[in-house]
Amino acid sequence: MDTGIRPILEIGCGKGNITKFLEPDICIELDKKMTDYLKNYNLVIADARYLPILRGQLVSSLPYQITSDFFKEVVKLDNIPKLTLILQKDFVDKILNDPTYISFLLNYVFDIQTKDIIPPRCFSPRPKVYSIITVFNRVREYNEDVDSLISCISRYRNKTLKKASKLCGLSSDNNLKVREFKPWQVLELLNSVGLSYV
Ligand SMILES: C[S@@+](CC[C@H](N)C(=O)[O-])C[C@H]1O[C@@H](n2cnc3c(N)ncnc32)[C@H](O)[C@@H]1O
């Protein structure tokens, strides 16, 4: 935990299991029934996806079904330099290995570091899946043009970069298939279509 980046915002404080150690500056929780557990903190009862959160570092053990929606919003918030999240391990494996839109975009904006794996028995109720603590450090500002290009190119992952880039209005001589690029090779992919976003 980097206490130098403030404010620290915790999303989904629940019964305060993480909150009591973290002591965040602001605690955001959707479920009003949790108010009693969180009365000692600066509590905001709200849906974190729709909050105008402008700066700080985020810590969260979010429900896994909102992970993609959450990232699509948070990736655009340049004043959020760091996120420490408990995520479903399968999701993290995908963003590190699979050539999808969200994987390329997250690897473009963040340096992604995996930490401890958390087995299902550590949670109550017990989930079916393994979780993993993952730290996202922002290394680039969000860029709408890059986002659109990644969105387009990743739709053609079974085509060569040469064909995919043509379909996306650009040009490339690269005959590798889009799916042959690992998410962490996103800059190489962008450079291959003539965009230099290092
Ligand atoms: C997996 S629980 C984690 C609870 C607590 N942090 C813990 O570790 O025990 C997720 C929490 O996020 C809250 N939550 C779900 N969706 C949310 C949203 N969109 N905005 C804010 N909180 C949300 C839930 O009500 C729940 O308390």
Side-chain angles (χ1 to χ4, degrees):
M1 180 85 258
D2 183 346
T3 49
I5 305 174
R6 306 300 282 264
I8 297 170
L9 312 172
E10 185 185 347
I11 297 180
C13 299
K15 292 184 178 172
N17 292 325
I18 298 174
T19 324
K20 64 186 172 213
F21 299 107
L22 187 66
E23 304 217 329
D25 298 300
I26 300 174
C27 168
I28 302 159
E29 172 54 53
L30 182 65
D31 187 352
K32 275 189 200 144
K33 292 194 292 296
M34 300 297 152
T35 304
D36 271 358
Y37 297 100
L38 302 169
K39 55 179 178 276
N40 293 330
Y41 306 98
N42 283 328
L43 176 62
V44 177
I45 296 285
D47 186 329
R49 285 170 297 179
Y50 308 120
L51 272 183
I53 297 168
L54 295 179
R55 66 188 177 89
Q57 65 170 312
L58 297 187
V59 179
S60 189
S61 166
L62 274 181
Y64 296 145
Q65 63 273 21
I66 74 164
T67 310
S68 287
D69 278 2
F70 170 78
F71 272 118
K72 282 177 193 158
E73 291 306 315
V74 97
V75 79
K76 297 176 186 162
L77 304 175
D78 289 331
N79 289 329
I80 306 274
K82 182 168 180 169
L83 300 99
T84 305
L85 305 172
I86 297 177
L87 294 169
Q88 186 172 340
K89 188 173 175 301
D90 285 353
F91 175 82
V92 176
D93 289 344
K94 280 187 187 142
I95 61 171
L96 295 177
N97 294 300
D98 293 358
T100 65
Y101 161 65
I102 198 73
S103 308
F104 283 128
L105 185 61
L106 289 179
N107 278 271
Y108 173 75
V109 171
F110 297 108
D111 169 65
I112 304 170
Q113 298 288 333
T114 53
K115 305 287 179 188
D116 295 346
I117 293 173
I118 313 177
R121 68 181 152 72
C122 294
F123 296 95
S124 173
R126 191 190 269 230
K128 290 198 175 104
V129 295
Y130 276 73
S131 303
I132 186 162
I133 299 174
T134 310
V135 178
F136 296 77
N137 276 300
R138 188 175 292 268
V139 289
R140 280 178 204 87
E141 290 191 350
Y142 173 75
N143 181 310
E144 211 175 325
D145 294 340
V146 171
D147 187 339
S148 305
L149 177 63
I150 289 174
S151 164
C152 186
I153 293 266
S154 53
R155 258 182 256 139
Y156 303 111
R157 66 182 69 100
N158 289 323
K159 297 196 185 295
T160 62
L161 201 50
K162 193 171 177 175
K163 282 192 183 147
S165 57
K166 198 169 176 190
L167 288 163
C168 296
L170 289 159
S171 79
S172 170
D173 290 335
N174 197 320
N175 280 313
L176 280 175
K177 294 201 165 146
V178 173
R179 66 173 149 79
E180 290 177 85
F181 285 83
K182 288 286 182 189
W184 51 268
Q185 293 175 307
V186 60
L187 291 185
E188 212 178 298
L189 186 144
L190 292 171
N191 285 332
S192 300
V193 294
L195 299 181
S196 170
Y197 285 109
V198 184

